[in-house]
Amino acid sequence: MTIFHTALDLPRPLTARLARAEDHLALRHLWLLFRHDMSGFSSTLPFADGTFRSEWLDAALRSDRGWYAWILTADVHPIGFALVRDADQPVRVLNSFFVVAGARRGGIGLQFARAVLSDAQGEWAVAYQEQNRAAAGFWSRVTAGCDRSWSETVGAGGVVDTWISFSVGSGRAC
């Protein structure tokens, strides 16, 4: 468990930890907020029941091979999550990352991302959508000081993903 500090007026303590079974419902709700935010970059619409695709979340909640989930809380309030895939591979992927709008801009996301990344030494990769300028700045700050490389892939609907690859050293994000 990692405890964070921020100037934002949020309930304390602010903690990040691996998700447990009792966190699954909260993670499903946060997932809807995340997918809603992402729909602005991919023009994705929700299904008829108001949900979005969730196979990545499902894999992490089932603890499928190489998948796991983190949760970020402010006291009892779930305020963010991170999904990691390929944890059993030479390059881990920070697959999905989200902090609710009310907890952004105070450094919590940066601390949370670095806590997740510093949990495992080695090679990492993170993708963000090219048109998501806030994400570009965020991931550049998270990986500042790392030896980084960038690449791009074009996915469904012509959405361009920018990938950052970097190494995490002992006990720190870079």
Side-chain angles (χ1 to χ4, degrees):
M1 180 179 337
T2 303
I3 298 178
F4 301 117
H5 305 284
T6 183
L8 292 176
D9 187 23
L10 295 172
R12 303 282 195 257
L14 298 170
T15 58
R17 61 175 168 74
L18 288 172
R20 301 184 288 247
E22 60 267 23
D23 301 317
H24 289 194
L25 183 59
L27 288 169
R28 288 201 177 280
H29 291 292
L30 289 172
W31 179 260
L32 292 175
L33 298 171
F34 166 70
R35 293 306 304 175
H36 171 264
D37 276 4
M38 297 306 297
S39 72
F41 303 107
S42 64
S43 301
T44 303
L45 296 176
F47 298 131
D49 66 357
T51 63
F52 290 89
R53 57 178 273 217
S54 63
E55 65 273 12
W56 295 339
L57 176 65
D58 296 339
L61 296 182
R62 286 190 309 261
S63 298
D64 284 0
R65 182 183 166 124
W67 282 89
Y68 59 91
W70 283 72
I71 189 165
L72 175 63
T73 60
D75 191 24
V76 298
H77 308 278
I79 61 171
F81 72 88
L83 302 184
V84 175
R85 70 173 166 87
D86 296 340
D88 56 348
Q89 299 298 313
V91 179
R92 289 171 190 82
V93 176
L94 186 49
N95 181 270
S96 303
F97 185 86
F98 177 75
V99 174
V100 298
R104 294 178 191 163
R105 309 284 181 254
I108 295 171
L110 181 67
Q111 293 177 71
F112 182 38
R114 287 184 174 161
V116 172
L117 296 170
S118 66
D119 186 57
Q121 293 183 47
E123 300 299 313
W124 282 86
V126 176
Y128 61 88
Q129 288 63 45
E130 180 68 22
Q131 56 274 53
N132 186 347
R133 300 314 311 153
F138 175 77
W139 290 111
S140 288
R141 285 189 305 278
V142 169
T143 61
C146 297
D147 289 329
R148 303 175 284 195
S149 64
W150 279 266
S151 63
E152 291 185 347
T153 59
V154 178
V159 174
V160 176
D161 284 339
T162 298
W163 286 84
I164 302 175
S165 298
F166 53 95
S167 293
V168 172
S170 177
R172 57 187 182 85
C174 289

